[in-house]
Coordinates of all heavy atoms in Angstrom, one line a residue:
M315 N 119.8 11.7 142.3 CA 120.6 11.8 141.1 C 120.7 10.4 140.4 O 121.0 9.4 141.1 CB 122.0 12.3 141.4 CG 122.9 12.4 140.3 SD 124.5 13.2 140.8 CE 125.4 12.8 139.4
T316 N 120.4 10.4 139.2 CA 120.5 9.1 138.4 C 121.9 9.0 137.7 O 122.4 10.0 137.3 CB 119.4 9.0 137.4 OG1 119.5 10.0 136.5 CG2 118.0 9.0 138.1
T317 N 122.3 7.8 137.5 CA 123.6 7.6 136.8 C 123.3 6.9 135.5 O 122.4 6.1 135.4 CB 124.6 6.8 137.6 OG1 124.0 5.5 137.9 CG2 125.0 7.5 138.8
R318 N 124.0 7.3 134.5 CA 123.8 6.8 133.1 C 124.8 5.7 132.9 O 126.0 5.9 133.2 CB 124.0 7.8 132.1 CG 122.8 8.2 131.3 CD 123.0 9.2 130.3 NE 124.4 9.5 129.9 CZ 124.7 10.3 129.0 NH1 123.8 11.0 128.4 NH2 125.9 10.5 128.7
A319 N 124.4 4.6 132.4 CA 125.4 3.6 132.0 C 126.2 4.0 130.8 O 125.6 4.6 129.9 CB 124.7 2.2 131.7
R320 N 127.5 3.8 130.9 CA 128.3 4.2 129.7 C 128.2 3.2 128.6 O 128.3 2.0 128.8 CB 129.8 4.3 130.2 CG 130.7 4.8 129.1 CD 132.1 5.0 129.7 NE 133.0 5.3 128.6 CZ 133.4 6.5 128.4 NH1 133.1 7.6 129.1 NH2 134.3 6.8 127.4
R321 N 127.9 3.7 127.4 CA 127.8 2.8 126.3 C 129.1 2.3 125.8 O 130.1 3.0 126.0 CB 127.1 3.5 125.1 CG 125.7 3.9 125.5 CD 125.0 4.6 124.3 NE 125.7 5.7 123.8 CZ 125.6 6.2 122.6 NH1 124.8 5.7 121.7 NH2 126.3 7.2 122.2
S322 N 129.2 1.2 125.2 CA 130.5 0.6 124.7 C 131.0 1.5 123.6 O 130.2 2.2 122.9 CB 130.3 -0.8 124.3 OG 129.5 -0.9 123.1
T323 N 132.2 1.3 123.3 CA 132.8 2.1 122.1 C 132.1 1.7 120.8 O 131.9 2.5 120.0 CB 134.3 1.8 122.0 OG1 134.6 0.4 121.9 CG2 135.1 2.4 123.2
R324 N 131.7 0.5 120.7 CA 131.1 0.0 119.5 C 129.7 0.7 119.3 O 129.4 1.2 118.2 CB 131.0 -1.5 119.4 CG 130.5 -2.0 118.1 CD 130.7 -3.4 117.8 NE 132.1 -3.9 118.1 CZ 133.1 -3.8 117.2 NH1 132.9 -3.1 116.1 NH2 134.3 -4.2 117.5
T325 N 128.9 0.8 120.4 CA 127.6 1.4 120.3 C 127.7 2.9 120.2 O 126.8 3.6 119.7 CB 126.7 1.1 121.5 OG1 127.3 1.6 122.7 CG2 126.4 -0.4 121.6
R326 N 128.9 3.5 120.5 CA 129.1 4.9 120.3 C 129.7 5.2 118.9 O 130.0 6.4 118.6 CB 130.1 5.5 121.4 CG 129.5 5.5 122.7 CD 130.3 6.3 123.7 NE 131.7 6.2 123.6 CZ 132.5 5.5 124.4 NH1 132.0 4.8 125.4 NH2 133.8 5.5 124.2
G327 N 129.8 4.2 118.1 CA 130.2 4.4 116.7 C 131.7 4.4 116.5 O 132.2 4.7 115.5
K328 N 132.5 4.0 117.6 CA 133.9 3.9 117.4 C 134.3 2.5 117.2 O 134.3 1.6 118.1 CB 134.6 4.4 118.7 CG 134.3 5.9 119.0 CD 135.0 6.3 120.2 CE 134.7 7.8 120.5 NZ 135.4 8.3 121.7
T329 N 134.7 2.1 116.0 CA 135.0 0.7 115.6 C 136.5 0.5 115.5 O 136.9 -0.6 115.6 CB 134.3 0.4 114.3 OG1 134.8 1.3 113.3 CG2 132.8 0.4 114.4
N330 N 137.3 1.5 115.5 CA 138.7 1.3 115.4 C 139.4 1.6 116.7 O 140.3 2.4 116.8 CB 139.3 2.3 114.3 CG 140.8 2.0 114.0 OD1 141.2 0.9 114.3 ND2 141.5 2.9 113.5
D331 N 138.9 0.8 117.7 CA 139.5 1.0 119.0 C 140.6 -0.1 119.3 O 141.1 -0.1 120.4 CB 138.4 1.0 120.1 CG 137.6 -0.3 120.1 OD1 137.8 -1.1 119.2 OD2 136.8 -0.5 121.0
G332 N 140.9 -0.9 118.4 CA 141.9 -1.9 118.6 C 143.3 -1.4 119.1 O 143.8 -1.8 120.1
P333 N 143.9 -0.5 118.3 CA 145.2 0.1 118.7 C 145.1 0.7 120.1 O 146.1 0.6 120.9 CB 145.5 1.1 117.6 CG 144.7 0.6 116.5 CD 143.5 0.0 117.0
H334 N 144.0 1.4 120.4 CA 143.9 2.1 121.7 C 143.9 1.1 122.8 O 144.6 1.2 123.8 CB 142.6 2.9 121.7 CG 142.3 3.6 123.0 ND1 141.6 2.9 124.0 CD2 142.5 4.8 123.4 CE1 141.4 3.8 125.0 NE2 142.0 4.9 124.7
K335 N 143.1 0.0 122.7 CA 143.0 -1.0 123.7 C 144.3 -1.8 123.9 O 144.7 -2.1 125.0 CB 141.9 -2.0 123.4 CG 140.5 -1.5 123.7 CD 139.4 -2.5 123.4 CE 138.1 -2.0 123.7 NZ 137.0 -3.0 123.6
T336 N 145.0 -2.0 122.8 CA 146.2 -2.8 122.8 C 147.3 -1.9 123.6 O 148.0 -2.5 124.4 CB 146.7 -3.1 121.4 OG1 145.7 -3.8 120.7 CG2 148.0 -3.8 121.4
L337 N 147.4 -0.7 123.2 CA 148.4 0.2 123.9 C 148.0 0.3 125.4 O 148.9 0.3 126.2 CB 148.4 1.6 123.2 CG 149.4 2.6 123.9 CD1 150.8 2.0 123.9 CD2 149.4 3.9 123.1
R338 N 146.8 0.5 125.7 CA 146.4 0.7 127.1 C 146.7 -0.6 127.9 O 147.2 -0.5 129.0 CB 144.9 1.0 127.2 CG 144.4 1.2 128.6 CD 142.9 1.6 128.7 NE 142.5 1.9 130.0 CZ 142.3 0.9 131.0 NH1 142.3 -0.3 130.6 NH2 141.9 1.3 132.2
K339 N 146.4 -1.8 127.3 CA 146.7 -3.0 128.0 C 148.2 -3.1 128.3 O 148.7 -3.6 129.3 CB 146.2 -4.2 127.2 CG 144.8 -4.4 127.3 CD 144.3 -5.6 126.5 CE 142.9 -5.8 126.6 NZ 142.4 -7.0 125.8
R340 N 149.0 -2.7 127.3 CA 150.5 -2.8 127.4 C 151.0 -1.9 128.5 O 151.8 -2.3 129.4 CB 151.2 -2.5 126.1 CG 152.7 -2.7 126.2 CD 153.3 -2.6 124.8 NE 153.1 -1.3 124.1 CZ 153.7 -0.2 124.3 NH1 154.6 -0.1 125.3 NH2 153.4 0.9 123.7
L341 N 150.4 -0.7 128.6 CA 150.8 0.3 129.6 C 150.4 -0.2 131.0 O 151.1 0.0 132.0 CB 150.3 1.7 129.3 CG 150.9 2.3 128.1 CD1 150.2 3.6 127.7 CD2 152.4 2.6 128.3
I342 N 149.2 -0.8 131.1 CA 148.7 -1.3 132.4 C 149.6 -2.4 132.8 O 150.0 -2.5 134.0 CB 147.2 -1.8 132.3 CG1 146.3 -0.6 132.1 CG2 146.8 -2.6 133.5 CD1 146.1 0.3 133.2
A343 N 150.0 -3.3 131.9 CA 150.9 -4.4 132.3 C 152.2 -3.9 132.8 O 152.8 -4.4 133.8 CB 151.1 -5.3 131.1
D344 N 152.7 -2.8 132.2 CA 154.0 -2.2 132.6 C 153.8 -1.6 134.0 O 154.7 -1.7 134.8 CB 154.4 -1.2 131.6 CG 155.8 -0.6 131.9 OD1 156.7 -1.3 132.2 OD2 155.9 0.7 131.9
L345 N 152.7 -1.0 134.2 CA 152.4 -0.4 135.5 C 152.3 -1.5 136.6 O 152.7 -1.2 137.8 CB 151.1 0.4 135.5 CG 150.8 1.3 136.7 CD1 151.8 2.3 137.0 CD2 149.4 1.9 136.6
T346 N 151.8 -2.6 136.2 CA 151.7 -3.8 137.2 C 153.1 -4.2 137.6 O 153.4 -4.5 138.8 CB 151.0 -5.0 136.6 OG1 149.7 -4.6 136.2 CG2 150.9 -6.1 137.5
Q347 N 154.1 -4.1 136.7 CA 155.5 -4.5 137.0 C 156.2 -3.4 137.7 O 157.1 -3.7 138.5 CB 156.2 -4.9 135.7 CG 155.6 -6.1 135.0 CD 155.7 -7.3 135.8 OE1 156.8 -7.6 136.4 NE2 154.6 -8.1 135.9
R348 N 155.9 -2.1 137.4 CA 156.5 -1.0 138.0 C 155.5 0.0 138.6 O 155.2 1.0 138.0 CB 157.4 -0.3 137.0 CG 158.5 -1.2 136.5 CD 159.5 -0.5 135.5 NE 158.8 0.1 134.4 CZ 159.0 1.4 134.0 NH1 159.9 2.2 134.7 NH2 158.4 1.9 133.0
P349 N 154.8 -0.3 139.7 CA 153.8 0.5 140.2 C 154.3 1.9 140.7 O 155.5 2.0 141.0 CB 153.2 -0.3 141.4 CG 154.3 -1.3 141.7 CD 155.1 -1.5 140.5
G350 N 153.4 2.9 140.7 CA 153.8 4.2 141.2 C 154.3 5.1 140.1 O 154.8 6.2 140.4
Q351 N 154.2 4.7 138.8 CA 154.7 5.6 137.8 C 153.8 6.9 137.8 O 152.7 6.9 138.2 CB 154.5 4.9 136.4 CG 155.4 3.7 136.3 CD 155.2 3.1 134.9 OE1 155.0 3.7 133.9 NE2 155.2 1.7 134.9
P352 N 154.4 8.0 137.4 CA 153.6 9.3 137.5 C 152.5 9.4 136.4 O 152.7 9.0 135.3 CB 154.7 10.4 137.3 CG 155.8 9.7 136.5 CD 155.7 8.2 136.9
C353 N 151.5 10.1 136.8 CA 150.4 10.4 135.9 C 150.9 11.4 134.9 O 151.7 12.4 135.3 CB 149.2 11.0 136.7 SG 147.9 11.7 135.8
A354 N 150.5 11.3 133.7 CA 150.9 12.2 132.6 C 150.4 13.7 132.9 O 151.0 14.6 132.4 CB 150.4 11.8 131.3
R355 N 149.4 13.8 133.6 CA 148.7 15.1 133.9 C 149.1 15.8 135.2 O 149.6 16.9 135.2 CB 147.2 15.0 133.8 CG 146.7 14.6 132.5 CD 146.9 15.7 131.5 NE 146.4 15.3 130.1 CZ 146.3 16.1 129.1 NH1 146.7 17.3 129.2 NH2 145.9 15.6 128.0
C356 N 149.0 15.0 136.3 CA 149.3 15.6 137.6 C 150.6 15.2 138.2 O 151.0 15.8 139.2 CB 148.1 15.3 138.6 SG 148.1 13.5 139.1
G357 N 151.2 14.2 137.7 CA 152.5 13.7 138.2 C 152.4 12.9 139.5 O 153.5 12.4 140.0
L358 N 151.2 12.7 140.0 CA 151.1 11.8 141.2 C 151.2 10.3 140.8 O 150.9 10.0 139.6 CB 149.8 12.0 141.9 CG 149.6 13.4 142.5 CD1 148.2 13.6 143.1 CD2 150.6 13.6 143.7
P359 N 151.6 9.4 141.7 CA 151.8 8.0 141.4 C 150.5 7.4 141.0 O 149.4 7.7 141.5 CB 152.3 7.4 142.6 CG 152.2 8.4 143.7 CD 152.0 9.7 143.1
M360 N 150.6 6.4 140.1 CA 149.4 5.6 139.6 C 149.6 4.2 140.0 O 150.7 3.7 140.0 CB 149.2 5.7 138.1 CG 149.0 7.1 137.6 SD 148.8 7.1 135.8 CE 150.4 6.6 135.2
Y361 N 148.5 3.5 140.3 CA 148.5 2.1 140.6 C 147.3 1.4 139.9 O 146.3 2.1 139.5 CB 148.3 1.9 142.1 CG 149.4 2.6 142.9 CD1 149.2 3.9 143.4 CD2 150.6 2.0 143.1 CE1 150.2 4.6 144.1 CE2 151.6 2.7 143.7 CZ 151.4 3.9 144.2 OH 152.5 4.6 144.9
V362 N 147.4 0.1 139.6 CA 146.5 -0.6 138.8 C 145.1 -0.6 139.4 O 144.1 -0.9 138.8 CB 146.9 -2.0 138.3 CG1 148.1 -1.9 137.4 CG2 147.3 -2.8 139.5
T363 N 145.0 -0.4 140.7 CA 143.7 -0.4 141.4 C 142.9 0.9 141.2 O 141.8 1.0 141.6 CB 144.0 -0.6 142.9 OG1 144.8 0.4 143.4 CG2 144.6 -2.0 143.2
Q364 N 143.6 1.9 140.6 CA 142.9 3.2 140.3 C 142.2 3.1 138.9 O 142.6 2.3 138.1 CB 143.9 4.3 140.4 CG 144.5 4.5 141.7 CD 145.6 5.5 141.7 OE1 146.5 5.5 140.8 NE2 145.6 6.4 142.6
L365 N 141.3 4.1 138.7 CA 140.7 4.2 137.4 C 141.7 5.0 136.5 O 142.0 6.2 136.8 CB 139.4 5.0 137.5 CG 138.3 4.3 138.3 CD1 137.1 5.2 138.4 CD2 137.9 3.0 137.6
L366 N 142.2 4.4 135.4 CA 143.2 5.0 134.6 C 142.8 5.0 133.1 O 142.0 4.1 132.7 CB 144.5 4.2 134.7 CG 145.1 4.0 136.1 CD1 146.2 3.1 136.1 CD2 145.5 5.4 136.7
D367 N 143.2 6.0 132.4 CA 142.9 6.1 131.0 C 144.2 6.3 130.2 O 145.2 6.8 130.7 CB 142.0 7.4 130.7 CG 140.6 7.3 131.2 OD1 140.1 6.2 131.3 OD2 140.0 8.3 131.4
L368 N 144.1 5.9 128.9 CA 145.1 6.2 128.0 C 144.9 7.6 127.6 O 143.8 7.9 127.0 CB 145.1 5.3 126.8 CG 146.1 5.5 125.7 CD1 147.5 5.4 126.2 CD2 145.9 4.6 124.5
D369 N 145.7 8.5 127.9 CA 145.5 10.0 127.8 C 145.6 10.4 126.3 O 146.4 9.9 125.6 CB 146.5 10.7 128.6 CG 145.9 12.1 129.1 OD1 145.0 12.6 128.5 OD2 146.5 12.7 130.0
H370 N 144.7 11.4 126.0 CA 144.7 12.0 124.7 C 145.5 13.3 124.7 O 145.6 13.9 125.8 CB 143.3 12.3 124.2 CG 142.5 11.1 123.9 ND1 141.8 10.3 124.8 CD2 142.3 10.4 122.7 CE1 141.2 9.3 124.2 NE2 141.5 9.4 122.9
T371 N 145.9 13.8 123.6 CA 146.5 15.1 123.5 C 145.3 16.1 123.8 O 144.2 15.7 123.7 CB 147.0 15.4 122.0 OG1 146.0 15.2 121.1 CG2 148.2 14.5 121.7
D372 N 145.7 17.3 124.1 CA 144.7 18.3 124.4 C 143.7 18.5 123.3 O 142.5 18.8 123.5 CB 145.3 19.6 124.9 CG 146.0 19.5 126.2 OD1 145.6 18.6 127.0 OD2 146.8 20.3 126.5
D373 N 144.1 18.4 122.1 CA 143.2 18.7 120.9 C 142.5 17.4 120.5 O 141.7 17.3 119.6 CB 143.9 19.3 119.8 CG 145.0 18.4 119.1 OD1 145.2 17.3 119.6 OD2 145.6 18.8 118.2
R374 N 142.7 16.3 121.3 CA 142.1 15.0 121.0 C 142.4 14.3 119.7 O 141.7 13.5 119.2 CB 140.6 15.0 121.2 CG 140.1 15.7 122.5 CD 139.9 14.9 123.7 NE 139.0 13.8 123.5 CZ 139.1 12.7 124.2 NH1 140.0 12.5 125.1 NH2 138.3 11.7 124.0
S375 N 143.5 14.8 119.1 CA 143.8 14.2 117.7 C 144.7 13.0 117.8 O 144.9 12.3 116.8 CB 144.6 15.3 116.9 OG 145.8 15.6 117.5
G376 N 145.2 12.7 119.0 CA 146.1 11.5 119.2 C 146.3 11.2 120.6 O 145.6 11.7 121.5
Y377 N 147.2 10.3 120.9 CA 147.4 9.9 122.3 C 148.8 10.4 122.8 O 149.7 10.5 122.0 CB 147.4 8.3 122.4 CG 146.1 7.7 121.9 CD1 146.1 7.0 120.7 CD2 144.9 7.9 122.6 CE1 145.0 6.4 120.3 CE2 143.8 7.3 122.1 CZ 143.8 6.6 121.0 OH 142.6 6.0 120.5
L378 N 148.8 10.6 124.1 CA 150.1 11.0 124.7 C 151.0 9.7 124.9 O 152.1 9.9 125.2 CB 149.9 11.6 126.1 CG 149.2 13.0 126.1 CD1 149.0 13.4 127.6 CD2 150.0 14.0 125.4
R379 N 150.4 8.6 124.6 CA 151.1 7.3 124.7 C 151.6 7.0 126.2 O 152.6 6.5 126.5 CB 152.3 7.2 123.8 CG 151.9 7.4 122.3 CD 153.0 7.0 121.3 NE 153.3 5.6 121.3 CZ 152.6 4.6 120.7 NH1 151.5 4.9 120.2 NH2 153.1 3.4 120.7
S380 N 150.7 7.5 127.1 CA 150.9 7.3 128.5 C 149.6 7.3 129.2 O 148.6 7.7 128.7 CB 151.8 8.4 129.1 OG 151.2 9.7 128.9
L381 N 149.6 6.8 130.4 CA 148.4 6.7 131.2 C 148.2 8.0 132.1 O 149.2 8.7 132.4 CB 148.5 5.5 132.2 CG 148.5 4.1 131.5 CD1 148.8 3.0 132.5 CD2 147.2 3.9 130.8
S382 N 147.0 8.2 132.5 CA 146.7 9.3 133.5 C 145.5 8.8 134.3 O 144.8 7.9 133.9 CB 146.4 10.6 132.8 OG 145.2 10.5 132.1
H383 N 145.4 9.4 135.4 CA 144.2 9.1 136.3 C 143.0 9.6 135.4 O 143.0 10.5 134.7 CB 144.2 10.0 137.6 CG 145.4 9.6 138.4 ND1 146.4 10.5 138.6 CD2 145.6 8.5 139.2 CE1 147.3 9.9 139.5 NE2 146.8 8.7 139.8
R384 N 141.9 8.8 135.6 CA 140.7 9.1 134.8 C 140.2 10.6 135.1 O 139.8 11.3 134.2 CB 139.6 8.1 135.1 CG 138.3 8.4 134.3 CD 137.4 7.2 134.2 NE 138.1 6.1 133.5 CZ 137.6 4.9 133.6 NH1 136.6 4.6 134.3 NH2 138.3 3.9 132.9
A385 N 140.3 11.0 136.4 CA 139.8 12.3 136.7 C 140.7 13.4 136.1 O 140.2 14.4 135.6 CB 139.8 12.5 138.3
C386 N 142.0 13.1 136.0 CA 142.9 14.1 135.4 C 142.6 14.2 133.9 O 142.6 15.3 133.3 CB 144.4 13.7 135.6 SG 144.9 13.7 137.3
N387 N 142.4 13.0 133.3 CA 142.1 13.0 131.8 C 140.8 13.7 131.5 O 140.7 14.5 130.6 CB 142.1 11.6 131.3 CG 142.0 11.4 129.8 OD1 142.5 12.3 129.1 ND2 141.4 10.4 129.4
S388 N 139.8 13.4 132.3 CA 138.5 14.0 132.1 C 138.5 15.6 132.3 O 137.8 16.3 131.6 CB 137.4 13.4 133.0 OG 137.3 12.0 132.8
A389 N 139.3 16.0 133.3 CA 139.3 17.4 133.6 C 139.9 18.2 132.4 O 139.7 19.4 132.3 CB 140.2 17.7 134.8
R390 N 140.7 17.6 131.5 CA 141.3 18.3 130.4 C 140.5 18.3 129.2 O 140.9 18.9 128.2 CB 142.7 17.7 130.1 CG 143.6 17.7 131.3 CD 144.1 19.1 131.5 NE 145.5 19.2 130.9 CZ 146.3 20.1 131.0 NH1 146.0 21.1 131.8 NH2 147.5 20.1 130.5
R391 N 139.4 17.7 129.2 CA 138.6 17.6 128.0 C 137.9 19.0 127.7 O 137.4 19.6 128.6 CB 137.5 16.6 128.1 CG 138.1 15.2 128.1 CD 137.0 14.1 128.0 NE 137.7 12.8 128.0 CZ 137.1 11.8 128.5 NH1 135.9 11.8 129.0 NH2 137.8 10.6 128.5
P392 N 137.9 19.4 126.5 CA 137.2 20.7 126.1 C 135.7 20.6 126.4 O 135.1 19.6 126.3 CB 137.5 20.9 124.7 CG 138.1 19.7 124.2 CD 138.5 18.8 125.3
A393 N 135.1 21.7 126.8 CA 133.7 21.8 127.0 C 132.9 21.7 125.8 O 133.3 21.9 124.7 CB 133.4 23.0 127.8

């Protein structure tokens, strides 16, 4: 099985990623200070050593303004 390298947001045509990155960095910094906060999707604790995403609403029109495990966030994406 081969793995594909993930392209950057800029090469995928997303140029307005500043607010997303800023909010994600702020939430990660908060998680560093208060580890074990619950995932927005599964409710299990999160730690900065895990793969985390700034979660989107189910219709992908905005952000939940919270973090979730990358696997939880990916599982909710529409096919």
Side-chain angles (χ1 to χ4, degrees):
M315 179 176 165
T316 61
T317 57
R318 245 179 22 177
R320 185 173 172 104
R321 297 184 304 157
S322 72
T323 53
R324 189 163 308 281
T325 60
R326 291 192 322 255
K328 297 180 180 182
T329 56
N330 189 19
D331 59 352
H334 177 272
K335 284 184 178 182
T336 301
L337 178 57
R338 184 177 181 279
K339 283 182 182 181
R340 186 172 54 82
L341 292 171
I342 293 287
D344 185 48
L345 187 62
T346 301
Q347 297 299 315
R348 298 184 307 129
Q351 295 177 40
C353 170
R355 296 291 179 171
C356 72
L358 293 175
M360 297 182 296
Y361 302 96
V362 294
T363 56
Q364 297 173 312
L365 296 174
L366 304 172
D367 286 339
L368 177 59
D369 207 342
H370 289 85
T371 57
D372 288 339
D373 65 1
R374 312 270 304 151
S375 65
Y377 303 111
L378 292 177
R379 304 191 64 78
S380 60
L381 294 171
S382 67
H383 297 109
R384 182 163 295 165
C386 297
N387 187 32
S388 297
R390 299 288 259 193
R391 290 189 181 150

